């Protein structure tokens, strides 16, 4: 089935199902010039947006349409999480090349709707249009947060502990497996690939952490630990010292690196798209925060270092030497 | 100057200036995982988004970068206006091909910022990324409106007068002048081209009309009168009768059509991108609304017909015959 057979408005009717999963504050979703809804009284509003372009961010053949939609939604939910917020409404703009089948697009929307529904996020609108060459996907997510609980990048303070909600580097290893066509002959390789194709946004965890008190700054790992922590440092006008042996590296990543003679630490430092949260916590609250988190989510927060006033990012190596870490994450233009 | 010389973050620093023009309700604009701001208490929130793709929506050589940015912003402000709302915050996602110069991009942002500032709209964030072939621009605008004043497409009622805030068909004539390479040897041709390249959104007018009372439904003319009025009719479950001789056609369009043997009525009915507002007004309020509008804006609202319960769109021709009008606006896929 091709889009030209059902037309733009037939297509909009087709995607409408499953978009509205929470109606209480919604006056109008898909089907007018703009969506209309109520934000929550006394809450601040969060807005984030991400643009994905074929051949830059994804290859149609290297992922399923479902996973592509899922991941695009995950990236945006993760940005709301990185502010400590609750995602509420999503808007999807899509530019569709002529040769794109409706079955592919249905699956893409299934992926988005699946993750959106899991987090009680409505898809309230968007824009649907053609594209000459590449598939284009832009998602905007609106979230909400008590204004006193926002986790800004600029709020890290010297003395803060730096913690990660999950393992780092898995996604980059998964990407390498895909790009280098490494045969997936063991479950751990598939798990690394899944970490890249279907990352999980730490939405519940972020809301929990923001409301606990004592968490100062947060960012999600999209470009890589060194690069994303670098954003916190620059915004906050501070430095940090990481401890190499504390960086959380999964058993899967260790096995991958052992087999292909790679350095797990390099993957953890410069690999992006893990979408774990990096948070900084005031030293007097660190223990409480870690304990409460572990009790609630049955998984630890990984301490990886401390904020200091050096304005530099350094790492204590296993030998005890202190080395400068350069931000080596992704720059779209350099 | 090329983007790769300044990098993604150098670029973001470059566009930051002039984005925040109203700070009172803003906690964070550009520079974090999401923007943070307060919406207005007791107000509903409006969100609209539009995706523009090179070679589908625009040709880089057929317009200036300034006008491209201006028009992309205008389309979104117009969507908020078409709900009766006040636009407040904008988010810009851009996908940039490697050969795109920074000078072009600076101009593009100048165009967006110019119109945004005119309407007191902040640019609070977005996403900046690469693109393999085409320039991609997605703008999301957040607006606000008292919930009782929203002008939905579905709210037209039989008996309502249908009115337009401006002339119809000028933009399509301008597009034809550009695409057919007609030499611009008279000011009226330039004015038609300007109507296409730099349309004006009816933002103040929409807010005024929505707050007056008696205006039921509204839509902006993006696809064409027959197509966009068709959306109101379908959503509201009603029909309409237009009067050919009442359709507002500019002197410029008449001169263009006389010179090139075209039918002005066809341009007015099926030409899109005029971004005038079509509104439907209850018969007992029509006179008051038109008078108040004319007094405030020193320009008339053009009455073009009536809503009825026929579920058909028909037009009384100059000869008095009643003809069916088929929606002939743009469909991105058909």
């Amino acid at each position: 089935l091709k889009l030209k057979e059902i037309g733009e408005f037939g297509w909009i009717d087709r995607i409408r199902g499953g978009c509205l999963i929470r109606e209480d504050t919604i006056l109008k979703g898909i089907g007018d010039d703009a969506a209309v809804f109520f934000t929550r009284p006394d809450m601040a509003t969060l807005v984030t947006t991400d643009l994905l372009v074929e051949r830059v961010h994804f290859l149609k053949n290297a992922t399923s349409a479902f996973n592509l939609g899922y991941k695009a939604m995950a990236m945006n939910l993760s940005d709301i999480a990185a502010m400590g917020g609750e995602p509420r409404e999503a808007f999807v703009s899509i530019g569709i090349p002529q040769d794109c089948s409706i079955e592919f697009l249905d699956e893409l929307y299934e992926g988005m709707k699946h993750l959106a529904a899991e987090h009680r996020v409505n898809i309230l609108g968007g824009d649907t249009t053609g594209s000459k060459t590449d598939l284009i996907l832009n998602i905007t997510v609106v979230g909400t947060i008590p204004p006193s609980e926002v986790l800004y990048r600029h709020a890290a303070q010297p003395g803060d502990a730096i913690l990660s909600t999950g393992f780092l580097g898995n996604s980059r290893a998964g990407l390498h497996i895909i790009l280098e066509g490494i045969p997936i002959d063991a479950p751990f390789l598939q798990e690394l690939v899944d970490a890249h194709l279907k990352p999980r946004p730490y939405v519940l965890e972020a809301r929990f952490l923001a409301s606990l008190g004592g968490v100062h700054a947060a960012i999600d790992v999209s470009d890589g630990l060194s690069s994303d922590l670098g954003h916190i440092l620059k915004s906050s006008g501070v430095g940090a010292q990481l401890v190499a042996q504390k960086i959380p590296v999964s058993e899967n990543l260790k096995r991958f690196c052992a087999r292909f003679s790679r350095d797990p630490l390099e993957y953890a430092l410069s690999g992006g798209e893990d979408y774990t949260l990096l948070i900084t916590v005031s030293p007097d609250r660190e223990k409480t925060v870690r304990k409460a988190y572990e009790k609630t989510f049955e998984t630890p927060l990984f301490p990886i270092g401390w904020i200091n006033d050096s304005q530099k990012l350094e790492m204590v190596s296993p030998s005890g030497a202190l080395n400068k870490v350069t931000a080596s994450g992704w720059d779209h233009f350099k």
Side-chain angles (χ1 to χ4, degrees), chain A:
Chain A
L1 196 58
K2 291 284 173 191
L3 268 179
K4 63 183 172 189
E5 295 169 49
I6 61 170
E8 184 174 353
F9 303 105
W11 160 249
I12 292 169
D13 283 338
R14 194 177 175 99
I15 58 177
R16 208 185 285 261
C19 283
L20 199 60
I21 59 131
R22 178 177 42 72
E23 295 189 49
D24 49 322
T25 53
I26 310 303
L27 297 171
K28 188 82 193 183
I30 293 172
D32 213 309
D33 299 290
V36 193
F37 57 93
F38 287 105
T39 54
R40 293 175 160 188
D42 304 319
M43 291 283 202
T45 297
L46 300 165
V47 176
T48 185
T49 190
D50 261 307
L51 174 62
L52 296 184
V53 185
E54 188 179 343
R55 295 189 293 159
V56 176
H57 301 91
F58 62 91
L59 299 168
K60 253 196 221 147
N61 299 334
T63 183
S64 71
F66 184 94
N67 285 350
L68 178 58
Y70 183 101
K71 185 168 179 176
M73 186 59 73
M75 293 166 65
N76 282 280
L77 299 187
S78 181
D79 278 325
I80 296 292
M83 304 301 287
E86 178 190 331
R88 301 271 295 170
E89 329 293 350
F91 302 84
V92 178
S93 292
I94 185 164
I96 308 172
Q98 260 203 321
D99 62 353
C100 198
S101 75
I102 289 195
E103 290 74 16
F104 182 93
L105 295 169
D106 281 343
E107 242 202 80
L108 181 79
Y109 273 79
E110 277 316 301
M112 288 191 279
K113 287 174 184 175
H114 180 88
L115 191 62
E118 192 182 318
H119 292 283
R120 310 274 301 145
V121 169
N122 292 318
I123 297 174
L124 286 191
D127 191 18
T128 302
T129 187
S131 173
K132 282 289 177 197
T133 311
D134 295 307
L135 182 67
I136 300 160
L137 192 56
N138 190 90
I139 301 184
T140 301
V141 172
V142 176
T144 191
I145 188 166
S148 62
E149 296 182 2
V150 184
L151 306 178
Y152 295 106
R153 290 183 186 179
H154 64 242
Q157 292 174 26
D160 281 1
I162 307 168
L163 304 149
S164 169
T165 58
F167 294 117
L168 296 166
N170 284 356
S171 176
R172 176 60 63 92
L175 177 62
H176 282 187
I177 293 166
I178 296 167
L179 291 182
E180 291 168 24
I182 293 170
I184 298 173
D185 55 15
F188 82 93
L189 292 171
Q190 185 61 53
E191 284 167 32
L192 291 170
V193 167
D194 289 346
H196 180 73
L197 295 181
K198 241 181 124 179
R200 99 191 204 36
Y202 286 79
V203 174
L204 282 180
E205 292 83 352
R207 201 69 280 292
F208 179 83
L209 289 165
S211 65
L212 266 184
V215 181
H216 288 155
I219 195 167
D220 63 328
V221 179
S222 54
D223 292 341
L225 169 57
S226 58
S227 178
D228 290 316
L229 181 56
H231 293 318
I232 287 184
L233 303 186
K234 196 181 164 198
S235 295
S236 302
V238 296
Q241 197 173 98
L242 298 174
V243 179
Q245 284 170 307
K246 297 260 187 182
I247 310 282
V249 170
S250 70
E251 287 307 311
N252 286 341
L253 181 58
K254 284 178 194 160
R255 286 180 69 183
F256 171 84
C257 288
R259 183 151 150 194
F260 299 102
S261 307
R262 311 272 171 102
D263 177 11
L265 199 57
E266 203 194 301
Y267 277 77
L269 279 174
S270 67
E273 302 201 297
D274 287 308
Y275 298 107
T276 50
L277 295 178
L278 295 181
I279 59 169
T280 84
V281 183
S282 76
D284 60 311
R285 293 283 297 163
E286 184 195 347
K287 214 168 158 181
T288 314
V289 167
R290 287 173 62 181
K291 221 165 146 181
Y293 185 93
E294 187 154 351
K295 198 177 160 196
T296 305
F297 298 106
E298 294 176 347
T299 177
L301 276 174
F302 300 99
I304 62 174
W306 295 271
I307 299 292
N308 58 34
D309 56 11
S310 72
Q311 308 220 25
K312 291 181 287 194
L313 177 53
E314 295 172 315
M315 186 167 65
V316 184
S317 73
S319 70
L322 193 62
N323 300 313
K324 194 165 185 299
V325 178
T326 46
S328 52
W330 187 253
D331 184 311
H332 270 108
F333 305 122
K334 276 194 165 158

